[in-house]
Amino acid sequence: MKAFGYVSAPDLAGALEAVAAGARPLGGGTNLVDLMRADVERPDTLVDITSLPLTGVEELAGGGLRIGATVRNSHLAADRLVRSRYPVLAQALLAGASGQLRNMATVGGNLLQRTRCPYLRDHAAACNKREPGSGCAAIEGVHRGTAVLGTSEHCIAAHPSDMAVALLALDAVVEVQSLRGTRRIPLGELHRAPGEAPHVETTLATDELITAVELPPAAVARNSWYRKVRDRASFAFALVSVAAALAVRDGEVVDVRLALGGVATTPWRAREAERVLLGAPATEETFRRAAAAELTSAVARPDNAFKIEMVQRTIAATLRRLATEGGAA
Amino acid sequence: MLVDGERIAACLALAVQYAERDITTIEGVGQPGSPHPLQEAFVREDGFQCGFCTSGQICSALGMLAEHRTGMPSVVTPHLADDDIALTDAEIKERMSGNLCRCGAYDGIVGAIRSVADHEVAR
Ligand SMILES: Cc1cc2nc3c(=O)[nH]c(=O)nc-3n(C[C@H](O)[C@H](O)[C@H](O)COP(=O)(O)OP(=O)(O)OC[C@H]3O[C@@H](n4cnc5c(N)ncnc54)[C@H](O)[C@@H]3O)c2cc1C
Ligand code: FES
Protein backbone atom coordinates (compact mmCIF):
# COMPACT_ATOMS: atom_id res chain seq x y z
CA MET A 1 0.00 0.00 0.00
CA LYS A 2 1.33 3.40 -1.00
CA ALA A 3 1.93 5.98 1.74
CA PHE A 4 -0.70 8.70 1.76
CA GLY A 5 -1.68 11.86 3.60
CA TYR A 6 -4.90 12.30 5.56
CA VAL A 7 -6.84 15.42 6.41
CA SER A 8 -10.21 15.72 8.03
CA ALA A 9 -12.18 18.46 6.29
CA PRO A 10 -13.16 21.14 8.81
CA ASP A 11 -16.02 22.46 6.66
CA LEU A 12 -17.44 22.16 3.16
CA ALA A 13 -15.29 24.97 1.75
CA GLY A 14 -12.19 23.26 3.13
CA ALA A 15 -13.26 19.95 1.62
CA LEU A 16 -13.84 21.53 -1.80
CA GLU A 17 -10.42 23.18 -1.67
CA ALA A 18 -8.75 19.91 -0.74
CA VAL A 19 -10.53 18.05 -3.54
CA ALA A 20 -9.62 20.80 -6.03
CA ALA A 21 -5.99 20.37 -4.93
CA GLY A 22 -6.18 16.67 -5.80
CA ALA A 23 -7.23 14.98 -2.55
CA ARG A 24 -9.62 12.00 -2.78
CA PRO A 25 -12.81 12.18 -0.73
CA LEU A 26 -12.99 9.51 1.97
CA GLY A 27 -16.44 8.40 3.09
CA GLY A 28 -16.76 5.18 5.05
CA GLY A 29 -13.66 3.87 3.29
CA THR A 30 -15.21 0.46 2.72
CA ASN A 31 -14.35 0.51 -0.97
CA LEU A 32 -11.52 3.04 -1.17
CA VAL A 33 -9.42 1.63 1.70
CA ASP A 34 -9.93 -1.88 0.33
CA LEU A 35 -8.72 -0.86 -3.15
CA MET A 36 -5.81 1.13 -1.71
CA ARG A 37 -4.69 -2.03 0.06
CA ALA A 38 -4.95 -3.88 -3.24
CA ASP A 39 -2.85 -1.12 -4.85
CA VAL A 40 -5.62 -0.40 -7.35
CA GLU A 41 -6.31 3.05 -5.92
CA ARG A 42 -3.18 5.12 -5.21
CA PRO A 43 -4.26 8.54 -3.91
CA ASP A 44 -1.62 10.88 -2.45
CA THR A 45 -4.03 12.46 0.01
CA LEU A 46 -7.40 11.56 1.46
CA VAL A 47 -9.83 14.19 2.65
CA ASP A 48 -12.20 12.72 5.20
CA ILE A 49 -15.64 14.21 4.61
CA THR A 50 -17.51 12.31 7.32
CA SER A 51 -17.37 15.20 9.81
CA LEU A 52 -19.12 17.55 7.39
CA PRO A 53 -22.73 18.48 8.09
CA LEU A 54 -24.00 16.35 5.19
CA THR A 55 -25.68 13.80 7.46
CA GLY A 56 -29.31 14.92 7.28
CA VAL A 57 -32.38 13.31 5.72
CA GLU A 58 -34.87 16.14 5.23
CA GLU A 59 -38.34 16.33 3.81
CA LEU A 60 -38.65 18.74 0.89
CA ALA A 61 -41.63 20.98 0.26
CA GLY A 62 -43.94 18.97 -1.99
CA GLY A 63 -43.06 15.64 -0.40
CA GLY A 64 -39.63 14.78 -1.78
CA LEU A 65 -36.55 13.95 0.24
CA ARG A 66 -33.06 15.45 0.47
CA ILE A 67 -30.39 13.02 1.62
CA GLY A 68 -26.96 14.28 2.69
CA ALA A 69 -24.01 12.64 0.93
CA THR A 70 -22.47 11.24 4.10
CA VAL A 71 -25.63 9.71 5.56
CA ARG A 72 -24.68 6.15 6.46
CA ASN A 73 -26.43 3.40 4.50
CA SER A 74 -27.90 1.92 7.71
CA HIS A 75 -29.23 5.27 8.92
CA LEU A 76 -30.91 5.92 5.58
CA ALA A 77 -32.51 2.47 5.59
CA ALA A 78 -33.88 3.07 9.09
CA ASP A 79 -35.32 6.47 8.22
CA ARG A 80 -39.08 6.59 8.80
CA LEU A 81 -39.90 8.56 5.64
CA VAL A 82 -37.76 6.30 3.49
CA ARG A 83 -39.41 3.19 4.92
CA SER A 84 -42.96 4.42 4.33
CA ARG A 85 -42.60 6.45 1.12
CA TYR A 86 -39.68 4.76 -0.67
CA PRO A 87 -39.57 1.23 0.78
CA VAL A 88 -37.70 -0.02 -2.30
CA LEU A 89 -34.76 2.16 -1.24
CA ALA A 90 -34.73 0.89 2.35
CA GLN A 91 -34.90 -2.67 1.07
CA ALA A 92 -32.08 -2.17 -1.45
CA LEU A 93 -29.85 -0.67 1.23
CA LEU A 94 -30.60 -3.49 3.65
CA ALA A 95 -29.89 -6.06 0.93
CA GLY A 96 -26.37 -4.67 0.53
CA ALA A 97 -23.18 -5.74 2.33
CA SER A 98 -23.55 -6.41 6.10
CA GLY A 99 -24.71 -4.57 9.21
CA GLN A 100 -21.16 -3.48 10.05
CA LEU A 101 -20.46 -2.22 6.53
CA ARG A 102 -23.80 -0.41 6.25
CA ASN A 103 -22.91 1.50 9.42
CA MET A 104 -19.76 2.77 7.66
CA ALA A 105 -20.84 3.17 4.02
CA THR A 106 -22.06 6.59 2.92
CA VAL A 107 -24.52 7.50 0.19
CA GLY A 108 -21.87 9.26 -1.92
CA GLY A 109 -19.39 6.40 -1.53
CA ASN A 110 -22.01 3.81 -2.38
CA LEU A 111 -22.81 5.60 -5.66
CA LEU A 112 -19.12 5.70 -6.57
CA GLN A 113 -18.10 2.20 -5.46
CA ARG A 114 -16.18 0.30 -8.11
CA THR A 115 -16.95 -3.00 -9.80
CA ARG A 116 -16.37 -6.35 -8.09
CA CYS A 117 -15.06 -7.88 -11.34
CA PRO A 118 -12.09 -9.88 -9.96
CA TYR A 119 -9.72 -8.60 -12.64
CA LEU A 120 -9.90 -5.04 -11.29
CA ARG A 121 -7.74 -6.25 -8.37
CA ASP A 122 -5.69 -8.82 -10.25
CA HIS A 123 -2.45 -7.10 -11.21
CA ALA A 124 -1.37 -10.17 -13.19
CA ALA A 125 -4.32 -9.83 -15.58
CA ALA A 126 -5.47 -7.23 -18.10
CA CYS A 127 -8.11 -4.73 -16.99
CA ASN A 128 -8.99 -1.57 -18.89
CA LYS A 129 -10.39 -0.02 -15.74
CA ARG A 130 -7.20 -0.53 -13.75
CA GLU A 131 -4.78 -0.01 -16.61
CA PRO A 132 -6.33 1.70 -19.65
CA GLY A 133 -5.39 -0.02 -22.90
CA SER A 134 -4.32 -3.29 -21.29
CA GLY A 135 -7.43 -5.19 -22.39
CA CYS A 136 -10.28 -7.01 -20.66
CA ALA A 137 -9.41 -10.38 -19.18
CA ALA A 138 -13.03 -11.04 -18.23
CA ILE A 139 -14.26 -11.39 -21.82
CA GLU A 140 -12.37 -14.68 -22.30
CA GLY A 141 -11.88 -15.39 -18.60
CA VAL A 142 -13.94 -15.64 -15.43
CA HIS A 143 -17.08 -13.66 -16.22
CA ARG A 144 -20.03 -15.33 -14.49
CA GLY A 145 -20.70 -12.17 -12.47
CA THR A 146 -20.35 -9.68 -15.32
CA ALA A 147 -22.85 -7.60 -17.26
CA VAL A 148 -25.03 -8.42 -20.28
CA LEU A 149 -26.31 -4.87 -20.87
CA GLY A 150 -24.29 -1.75 -21.65
CA THR A 151 -21.07 -3.65 -22.31
CA SER A 152 -18.40 -2.91 -24.90
CA GLU A 153 -15.55 -4.91 -26.37
CA HIS A 154 -13.32 -3.16 -23.84
CA CYS A 155 -15.16 -3.98 -20.60
CA ILE A 156 -18.05 -6.12 -19.37
CA ALA A 157 -17.80 -5.42 -15.63
CA ALA A 158 -21.11 -5.14 -13.77
CA HIS A 159 -21.96 -2.21 -11.53
CA PRO A 160 -22.29 -3.62 -8.01
CA SER A 161 -24.50 -1.14 -6.13
CA ASP A 162 -27.92 -2.13 -4.82
CA MET A 163 -28.77 1.33 -3.49
CA ALA A 164 -28.12 3.02 -6.84
CA VAL A 165 -30.60 0.71 -8.59
CA ALA A 166 -33.40 1.76 -6.24
CA LEU A 167 -32.40 5.44 -6.48
CA LEU A 168 -32.46 5.22 -10.27
CA ALA A 169 -35.98 3.80 -10.25
CA LEU A 170 -36.94 6.73 -8.02
CA ASP A 171 -35.57 9.38 -10.45
CA ALA A 172 -32.96 10.56 -7.95
CA VAL A 173 -30.97 13.71 -8.69
CA VAL A 174 -27.37 14.03 -7.47
CA GLU A 175 -26.20 17.41 -6.18
CA VAL A 176 -22.54 18.05 -6.86
CA GLN A 177 -20.38 20.92 -5.67
CA SER A 178 -16.94 22.26 -6.49
CA LEU A 179 -15.17 25.59 -6.08
CA ARG A 180 -16.72 26.37 -9.47
CA GLY A 181 -20.26 26.07 -8.17
CA THR A 182 -23.14 23.62 -7.78
CA ARG A 183 -24.77 21.40 -10.37
CA ARG A 184 -27.52 18.82 -10.33
CA ILE A 185 -27.13 15.58 -12.27
CA PRO A 186 -29.99 13.14 -12.87
CA LEU A 187 -28.68 9.85 -11.46
CA GLY A 188 -29.09 8.24 -14.88
CA GLU A 189 -26.38 10.59 -16.17
CA LEU A 190 -23.87 10.02 -13.35
CA HIS A 191 -22.49 6.63 -14.39
CA ARG A 192 -20.88 6.08 -17.79
CA ALA A 193 -21.08 2.90 -19.84
CA PRO A 194 -17.54 1.64 -20.58
CA GLY A 195 -17.52 2.29 -24.35
CA GLU A 196 -13.97 3.11 -25.45
CA ALA A 197 -12.89 4.33 -22.00
CA PRO A 198 -13.86 1.89 -19.23
CA HIS A 199 -11.69 3.73 -16.71
CA VAL A 200 -13.88 6.84 -16.96
CA GLU A 201 -16.71 5.55 -14.81
CA THR A 202 -18.71 8.69 -14.06
CA THR A 203 -19.40 12.16 -15.41
CA LEU A 204 -17.97 13.79 -12.28
CA ALA A 205 -14.91 16.00 -12.58
CA THR A 206 -12.05 15.24 -10.18
CA ASP A 207 -12.66 18.47 -8.24
CA GLU A 208 -16.32 17.69 -7.61
CA LEU A 209 -17.87 16.43 -4.41
CA ILE A 210 -21.28 14.79 -4.15
CA THR A 211 -23.10 16.78 -1.46
CA ALA A 212 -26.64 15.39 -1.59
CA VAL A 213 -29.11 13.15 -3.37
CA GLU A 214 -32.66 14.35 -3.87
CA LEU A 215 -35.74 12.23 -4.43
CA PRO A 216 -38.79 13.80 -6.05
CA PRO A 217 -42.16 12.88 -4.57
CA ALA A 218 -43.56 9.69 -6.10
CA ALA A 219 -46.89 8.24 -5.00
CA VAL A 220 -46.14 5.06 -6.96
CA ALA A 221 -43.08 4.41 -4.76
CA ARG A 222 -45.25 3.53 -1.76
CA ASN A 223 -45.96 0.24 -3.55
CA SER A 224 -42.40 -0.79 -4.30
CA TRP A 225 -40.07 -3.74 -3.87
CA TYR A 226 -36.39 -4.64 -4.29
CA ARG A 227 -35.69 -8.22 -5.24
CA LYS A 228 -32.07 -9.41 -5.17
CA VAL A 229 -30.98 -12.83 -6.38
CA ARG A 230 -27.60 -14.02 -5.18
CA ASP A 231 -25.45 -17.10 -4.66
CA ARG A 232 -26.15 -17.08 -0.91
CA ALA A 233 -29.11 -15.50 0.85
CA SER A 234 -27.20 -12.70 2.57
CA PHE A 235 -23.87 -10.82 2.50
CA ALA A 236 -23.34 -11.36 -1.22
CA PHE A 237 -23.48 -9.17 -4.30
CA ALA A 238 -26.37 -9.48 -6.73
CA LEU A 239 -26.37 -11.88 -9.63
CA VAL A 240 -29.42 -9.95 -10.75
CA SER A 241 -31.65 -7.49 -8.95
CA VAL A 242 -34.84 -5.60 -9.68
CA ALA A 243 -36.15 -2.36 -8.17
CA ALA A 244 -39.80 -1.87 -9.04
CA ALA A 245 -42.72 0.37 -8.16
CA LEU A 246 -46.16 -0.30 -9.58
CA ALA A 247 -49.61 1.29 -9.58
CA VAL A 248 -52.54 -0.66 -11.02
CA ARG A 249 -56.06 0.73 -11.51
CA ASP A 250 -58.96 -1.36 -12.87
CA GLY A 251 -56.51 -4.06 -13.86
CA GLU A 252 -54.34 -1.66 -15.87
CA VAL A 253 -50.80 -0.42 -15.16
CA VAL A 254 -51.14 3.33 -14.60
CA ASP A 255 -47.63 4.01 -13.28
CA VAL A 256 -44.45 1.96 -13.14
CA ARG A 257 -40.75 2.30 -12.33
CA LEU A 258 -38.27 -0.41 -13.10
CA ALA A 259 -34.49 -0.57 -12.71
CA LEU A 260 -32.04 -3.47 -12.83
CA GLY A 261 -28.84 -4.36 -11.00
CA GLY A 262 -26.16 -7.01 -11.49
CA VAL A 263 -26.85 -7.25 -15.21
CA ALA A 264 -25.46 -3.99 -16.55
CA THR A 265 -22.28 -1.92 -16.57
CA THR A 266 -24.18 0.90 -14.85
CA PRO A 267 -27.32 0.92 -12.73
CA TRP A 268 -29.90 0.23 -15.47
CA ARG A 269 -33.26 1.94 -15.90
CA ALA A 270 -35.55 -0.46 -17.78
CA ARG A 271 -37.23 2.11 -20.03
CA GLU A 272 -38.22 -0.41 -22.73
CA ALA A 273 -40.01 -2.56 -20.19
CA GLU A 274 -41.70 0.50 -18.65
CA ARG A 275 -43.00 1.46 -22.10
CA VAL A 276 -44.54 -1.98 -22.61
CA LEU A 277 -46.09 -1.99 -19.14
CA LEU A 278 -47.66 1.47 -19.06
CA GLY A 279 -51.35 1.27 -19.99
CA ALA A 280 -51.24 -2.51 -20.47
CA PRO A 281 -53.23 -5.04 -18.40
CA ALA A 282 -51.34 -6.02 -15.23
CA THR A 283 -51.01 -9.67 -16.19
CA GLU A 284 -48.26 -12.26 -16.21
CA GLU A 285 -48.24 -12.09 -20.00
CA THR A 286 -47.55 -8.33 -19.94
CA PHE A 287 -44.86 -8.70 -17.27
CA ARG A 288 -43.01 -11.30 -19.32
CA ARG A 289 -43.37 -9.34 -22.55
CA ALA A 290 -42.00 -6.22 -20.84
CA ALA A 291 -39.05 -8.13 -19.40
CA ALA A 292 -38.26 -9.67 -22.78
CA ALA A 293 -38.39 -6.24 -24.46
CA GLU A 294 -35.78 -4.88 -22.04
CA LEU A 295 -33.37 -7.73 -22.67
CA THR A 296 -33.46 -7.75 -26.48
CA SER A 297 -30.22 -5.78 -26.61
CA ALA A 298 -28.42 -8.08 -24.14
CA VAL A 299 -25.04 -9.50 -25.16
CA ALA A 300 -24.07 -12.67 -23.32
CA ARG A 301 -20.78 -14.48 -22.75
CA PRO A 302 -20.91 -18.24 -22.15
CA ASP A 303 -20.89 -18.06 -18.35
CA ASN A 304 -23.15 -15.06 -17.79
CA ALA A 305 -25.87 -15.97 -20.32
CA PHE A 306 -27.99 -17.36 -17.46
CA LYS A 307 -28.53 -13.80 -16.23
CA ILE A 308 -30.71 -12.95 -19.24
CA GLU A 309 -33.35 -15.51 -18.30
CA MET A 310 -32.87 -14.99 -14.56
CA VAL A 311 -33.45 -11.25 -14.69
CA GLN A 312 -36.54 -11.63 -16.88
CA ARG A 313 -38.05 -14.06 -14.37
CA THR A 314 -37.10 -11.76 -11.52
CA ILE A 315 -38.73 -8.77 -13.22
CA ALA A 316 -41.95 -10.74 -13.71
CA ALA A 317 -41.90 -12.10 -10.16
CA THR A 318 -41.33 -8.65 -8.65
CA LEU A 319 -44.15 -7.06 -10.66
CA ARG A 320 -46.45 -9.97 -9.82
CA ARG A 321 -45.70 -9.48 -6.13
CA LEU A 322 -46.50 -5.76 -6.36
CA ALA A 323 -49.72 -6.40 -8.31
CA THR A 324 -50.99 -9.02 -5.84
CA GLU A 325 -49.53 -8.84 -2.32
CA GLY A 326 -48.21 -5.27 -2.47
CA GLY A 327 -44.91 -3.64 -1.54
CA ALA A 328 -42.40 -3.74 1.28
CA ALA A 329 -43.85 -1.00 3.49
CA MET B 1 -15.73 -3.59 16.94
CA LEU B 2 -18.08 -0.95 18.35
CA VAL B 3 -17.64 2.78 17.73
CA ASP B 4 -19.84 4.83 20.01
CA GLY B 5 -21.87 1.64 20.39
CA GLU B 6 -22.26 1.03 16.63
CA ARG B 7 -20.68 -2.01 15.03
CA ILE B 8 -18.26 -1.47 12.16
CA ALA B 9 -15.76 -3.62 10.25
CA ALA B 10 -12.37 -2.87 11.82
CA CYS B 11 -10.56 -4.43 8.85
CA LEU B 12 -11.65 -1.57 6.56
CA ALA B 13 -11.35 1.25 9.09
CA LEU B 14 -8.46 3.71 9.09
CA ALA B 15 -7.72 4.24 12.79
CA VAL B 16 -7.18 7.98 12.27
CA GLN B 17 -10.76 8.31 11.02
CA TYR B 18 -12.02 7.18 14.45
CA ALA B 19 -9.81 9.38 16.66
CA GLU B 20 -11.62 10.77 19.71
CA ARG B 21 -14.39 8.18 19.34
CA ASP B 22 -15.42 5.66 21.98
CA ILE B 23 -14.04 2.28 20.83
CA THR B 24 -15.09 -1.06 22.32
CA THR B 25 -13.41 -4.32 21.35
CA ILE B 26 -13.99 -7.71 22.96
CA GLU B 27 -11.46 -6.73 25.66
CA GLY B 28 -14.00 -4.17 26.88
CA VAL B 29 -16.88 -6.65 27.07
CA GLY B 30 -17.16 -8.39 30.47
CA GLN B 31 -14.29 -9.08 32.86
CA PRO B 32 -12.35 -12.23 33.72
CA GLY B 33 -14.49 -13.93 36.36
CA SER B 34 -17.58 -11.90 35.47
CA PRO B 35 -18.34 -12.41 31.79
CA HIS B 36 -21.00 -10.43 29.97
CA PRO B 37 -24.38 -12.26 29.77
CA LEU B 38 -23.82 -12.74 26.03
CA GLN B 39 -20.41 -14.30 26.68
CA GLU B 40 -22.02 -16.67 29.19
CA ALA B 41 -24.69 -17.50 26.63
CA PHE B 42 -22.05 -18.34 23.99
CA VAL B 43 -20.51 -20.84 26.44
CA ARG B 44 -23.86 -22.28 27.51
CA GLU B 45 -25.31 -22.56 23.98
CA ASP B 46 -22.21 -23.95 22.24
CA GLY B 47 -21.72 -20.73 20.27
CA PHE B 48 -18.19 -21.58 19.14
CA GLN B 49 -15.75 -24.34 18.35
CA CYS B 50 -12.25 -22.98 17.56
CA GLY B 51 -13.15 -19.53 18.89
CA PHE B 52 -11.47 -17.59 16.07
CA CYS B 53 -14.62 -15.72 15.07
CA THR B 54 -16.09 -15.41 18.56
CA SER B 55 -14.83 -11.97 19.58
CA GLY B 56 -16.26 -10.54 16.36
CA GLN B 57 -19.52 -12.46 16.74
CA ILE B 58 -20.05 -11.10 20.25
CA CYS B 59 -19.20 -7.48 19.46
CA SER B 60 -21.33 -7.64 16.34
CA ALA B 61 -24.25 -9.20 18.24
CA LEU B 62 -24.09 -6.42 20.86
CA GLY B 63 -24.23 -3.82 18.09
CA MET B 64 -26.99 -5.75 16.35
CA LEU B 65 -29.15 -5.94 19.48
CA ALA B 66 -28.71 -2.19 20.00
CA GLU B 67 -29.76 -1.59 16.37
CA HIS B 68 -32.83 -3.72 16.87
CA ARG B 69 -33.75 -1.77 20.01
CA THR B 70 -33.73 1.47 17.99
CA GLY B 71 -36.17 -0.08 15.49
CA MET B 72 -33.73 -0.81 12.65
CA PRO B 73 -35.42 -3.09 10.07
CA SER B 74 -33.65 -5.77 8.06
CA VAL B 75 -34.16 -7.09 4.56
CA VAL B 76 -36.24 -10.01 5.91
CA THR B 77 -38.54 -7.75 7.95
CA PRO B 78 -42.06 -8.47 6.59
CA HIS B 79 -43.27 -4.85 6.74
CA LEU B 80 -40.54 -2.22 6.74
CA ALA B 81 -42.80 0.52 8.05
CA ASP B 82 -43.67 -1.44 11.23
CA ASP B 83 -42.58 -0.01 14.59
CA ASP B 84 -42.25 -3.29 16.44
CA ILE B 85 -40.06 -5.82 14.68
CA ALA B 86 -39.93 -9.26 16.31
CA LEU B 87 -36.38 -10.60 16.57
CA THR B 88 -37.09 -14.00 15.01
CA ASP B 89 -34.36 -16.51 14.20
CA ALA B 90 -34.62 -15.41 10.57
CA GLU B 91 -33.99 -11.81 11.66
CA ILE B 92 -31.00 -12.82 13.82
CA LYS B 93 -29.44 -14.81 10.98
CA GLU B 94 -29.89 -12.02 8.46
CA ARG B 95 -28.59 -9.34 10.83
CA MET B 96 -25.54 -11.46 11.75
CA SER B 97 -24.63 -12.42 8.18
CA GLY B 98 -21.58 -10.13 8.18
CA ASN B 99 -19.86 -12.51 10.63
CA LEU B 100 -18.76 -15.75 9.07
CA CYS B 101 -17.91 -18.79 11.21
CA ARG B 102 -15.60 -21.25 9.52
CA CYS B 103 -16.45 -23.93 12.09
CA GLY B 104 -20.14 -23.59 11.36
CA ALA B 105 -21.23 -22.89 14.94
CA TYR B 106 -24.15 -20.89 13.57
CA ASP B 107 -26.95 -22.72 15.41
CA GLY B 108 -25.23 -22.14 18.75
CA ILE B 109 -24.52 -18.50 17.88
CA VAL B 110 -28.17 -17.88 17.02
CA GLY B 111 -29.21 -19.73 20.19
CA ALA B 112 -26.91 -17.63 22.37
CA ILE B 113 -28.15 -14.36 20.89
CA ARG B 114 -31.74 -15.56 21.06
CA SER B 115 -31.47 -16.37 24.79
CA VAL B 116 -30.01 -12.95 25.62
CA ALA B 117 -32.57 -11.14 23.44
CA ASP B 118 -35.45 -13.07 25.04
CA HIS B 119 -34.09 -12.24 28.48
CA GLU B 120 -33.92 -8.54 27.55
CA VAL B 121 -37.52 -8.63 26.35
CA ALA B 122 -38.64 -10.45 29.50
CA ARG B 123 -37.03 -7.80 31.74
C1 LIG C 1 -17.50 -7.32 2.03
C2 LIG C 1 -18.30 -6.29 1.28
C3 LIG C 1 -19.55 -6.63 0.79
C4 LIG C 1 -20.31 -5.67 0.11
N1 LIG C 1 -21.54 -6.03 -0.38
C5 LIG C 1 -22.29 -5.10 -1.07
C6 LIG C 1 -23.56 -5.42 -1.60
O1 LIG C 1 -24.07 -6.55 -1.44
N2 LIG C 1 -24.24 -4.47 -2.27
C7 LIG C 1 -23.73 -3.20 -2.44
O2 LIG C 1 -24.40 -2.38 -3.04
N3 LIG C 1 -22.52 -2.89 -1.96
C8 LIG C 1 -21.80 -3.79 -1.29
N4 LIG C 1 -20.56 -3.45 -0.82
C9 LIG C 1 -19.99 -2.17 -1.19
C10 LIG C 1 -20.36 -1.06 -0.23
O3 LIG C 1 -21.73 -0.75 -0.39
C11 LIG C 1 -19.49 0.13 -0.61
O4 LIG C 1 -18.15 -0.19 -0.31
C12 LIG C 1 -19.89 1.39 0.13
O5 LIG C 1 -21.22 1.75 -0.16
C13 LIG C 1 -18.97 2.53 -0.23
O6 LIG C 1 -19.26 3.64 0.59
P1 LIG C 1 -18.10 4.34 1.44
O7 LIG C 1 -18.70 5.54 2.09
O8 LIG C 1 -17.45 3.36 2.34
O9 LIG C 1 -17.15 4.77 0.25
P2 LIG C 1 -15.58 5.03 0.24
O10 LIG C 1 -14.87 3.74 0.20
O11 LIG C 1 -15.21 6.00 1.29
O12 LIG C 1 -15.46 5.75 -1.18
C14 LIG C 1 -15.75 5.10 -2.39
C15 LIG C 1 -15.44 6.06 -3.53
O13 LIG C 1 -16.30 7.18 -3.53
C16 LIG C 1 -15.58 8.40 -3.42
N5 LIG C 1 -16.42 9.28 -2.60
C17 LIG C 1 -16.95 8.98 -1.39
N6 LIG C 1 -17.79 9.95 -1.01
C18 LIG C 1 -17.78 10.90 -1.99
C19 LIG C 1 -18.46 12.14 -2.18
N7 LIG C 1 -19.35 12.62 -1.30
N8 LIG C 1 -18.21 12.85 -3.31
C20 LIG C 1 -17.33 12.39 -4.23
N9 LIG C 1 -16.66 11.21 -4.10
C21 LIG C 1 -16.90 10.47 -3.00
C22 LIG C 1 -14.24 8.02 -2.84
O14 LIG C 1 -13.25 8.95 -3.18
C23 LIG C 1 -14.04 6.65 -3.47
O15 LIG C 1 -13.59 6.81 -4.79
C24 LIG C 1 -19.80 -4.37 -0.09
C25 LIG C 1 -18.55 -4.04 0.42
C26 LIG C 1 -17.80 -4.98 1.11
C27 LIG C 1 -16.45 -4.59 1.64
S1 FES D 1 -15.83 -20.90 16.10
FE1 FES D 1 -14.27 -21.40 14.68
S2 FES D 1 -14.61 -19.89 13.15
FE2 FES D 1 -16.35 -19.62 14.41
Side-chain angles (χ1 to χ4, degrees):
Chain A
M1 186 169 174
K2 194 184 99 172
F4 60 93
Y6 169 94
V7 290
S8 180
D11 50 29
L12 184 59
L16 295 179
E17 272 165 36
V19 174
R24 272 295 278 286
L26 176 67
T30 60
N31 194 228
L32 185 53
V33 171
D34 197 10
L35 291 173
M36 284 166 69
R37 288 222 181 115
D39 219 24
V40 173
E41 299 277 12
R42 301 174 52 82
D44 291 318
T45 309
L46 297 180
V47 54
D48 184 353
I49 58 169
T50 58
S51 300
L52 299 181
L54 303 174
T55 56
V57 182
E58 293 148 33
E59 192 173 3
L60 294 172
L65 218 56
R66 181 181 168 86
I67 303 160
T70 61
V71 174
R72 307 290 176 169
N73 285 188
S74 54
H75 298 179
L76 186 57
D79 185 88
R80 283 270 146 211
L81 289 176
V82 171
R83 282 156 69 181
S84 56
R85 291 186 193 168
Y86 307 98
V88 66
L89 174 58
Q91 236 180 349
L93 286 159
L94 294 167
S98 68
Q100 292 95 317
L101 291 160
R102 292 191 293 269
N103 282 339
M104 304 170 81
T106 62
V107 169
N110 190 319
L111 285 177
L112 299 180
Q113 64 173 298
R114 303 194 67 189
T115 184
R116 308 307 284 202
C117 177
Y119 296 109
L120 178 67
R121 327 169 155 247
D122 182 352
H123 291 270
C127 172
N128 283 324
K129 282 189 183 293
R130 191 187 66 248
E131 208 180 312
S134 64
C136 172
I139 289 174
E140 297 297 332
V142 174
H143 58 251
R144 180 170 173 273
T146 58
V148 294
L149 291 167
T151 59
S152 76
E153 58 183 308
H154 304 291
C155 181
I156 59 172
H159 196 278
S161 173
D162 292 300
M163 179 195 77
V165 177
L167 287 178
L168 188 60
L170 296 170
D171 287 328
V173 174
V174 180
E175 183 192 271
V176 169
Q177 295 193 35
S178 71
L179 292 177
R180 297 171 288 131
T182 302
R183 60 184 187 115
R184 295 163 55 81
I185 313 171
L187 180 55
E189 293 167 23
L190 178 69
H191 297 99
R192 282 183 78 262
E196 300 280 322
H199 62 291
V200 188
E201 295 175 349
T202 72
T203 54
L204 288 185
T206 52
D207 65 343
E208 287 181 318
L209 197 66
I210 296 176
T211 46
V213 172
E214 288 189 2
L215 295 179
V220 66
R222 288 181 186 264
N223 187 43
S224 61
W225 190 267
Y226 188 74
R227 178 94 181 247
K228 179 175 177 182
V229 181
R230 30 188 166 172
D231 280 326
R232 64 177 175 207
S234 187
F235 200 24
F237 284 91
L239 291 170
V240 313
S241 71
V242 174
L246 182 72
V248 178
R249 200 174 306 134
D250 300 329
E252 187 184 297
V253 176
V254 292
D255 202 355
V256 62
R257 308 289 185 78
L258 201 62
L260 311 178
V263 289
T265 52
T266 61
W268 190 267
R269 183 71 180 259
R271 298 273 185 203
E272 287 302 319
E274 288 180 356
R275 247 188 294 281
V276 173
L277 287 161
L278 201 60
T283 59
E284 190 70 19
E285 193 275 326
T286 305
F287 300 160
R288 291 198 164 269
R289 199 154 44 81
E294 191 61 44
L295 272 294
T296 50
S297 62
V299 178
R301 302 291 312 161
D303 296 341
N304 68 11
F306 75 96
K307 288 190 175 188
I308 296 177
E309 177 63 23
M310 183 180 267
V311 75
Q312 291 183 61
R313 293 187 192 189
T314 309
I315 291 170
T318 310
L319 293 171
R320 189 189 318 130
R321 151 109 214 181
L322 289 172
T324 54
E325 291 164 73
Chain B
M1 66 183 197
L2 303 166
V3 177
D4 297 332
E6 253 190 19
R7 56 181 173 159
I8 67 161
C11 58
L12 291 174
L14 294 179
V16 63
Q17 215 182 356
Y18 296 89
E20 313 294 329
R21 307 280 293 276
D22 186 14
I23 308 287
T24 304
T25 62
I26 192 66
E27 287 75 12
V29 179
Q31 291 295 319
S34 61
H36 186 281
L38 186 59
Q39 290 171 320
E40 281 177 345
F42 264 70
V43 175
R44 191 175 63 241
E45 304 282 338
D46 261 343
F48 56 92
Q49 289 179 33
C50 77
F52 184 83
C53 72
T54 313
S55 51
Q57 299 284 0
I58 289 175
C59 285
S60 175
L62 291 173
M64 183 278 280
L65 290 168
E67 285 164 11
H68 176 254
R69 281 194 296 274
T70 68
M72 173 82 72
S74 89
V75 77
V76 302
T77 302
H79 299 286
L80 289 180
D82 282 358
D83 283 317
D84 254 331
I85 300 166
L87 198 61
T88 59
D89 281 0
E91 286 278 0
I92 293 175
K93 288 179 188 173
E94 163 57 29
R95 289 164 192 254
M96 289 298 293
S97 70
N99 291 80
L100 303 181
C101 173
R102 193 68 184 81
C103 296
Y106 293 112
D107 281 349
I109 294 168
V110 172
I113 296 171
R114 147 111 292 114
S115 73
V116 170
D118 288 349
H119 186 74
E120 269 182 13
V121 171
R123 256 189 322 190

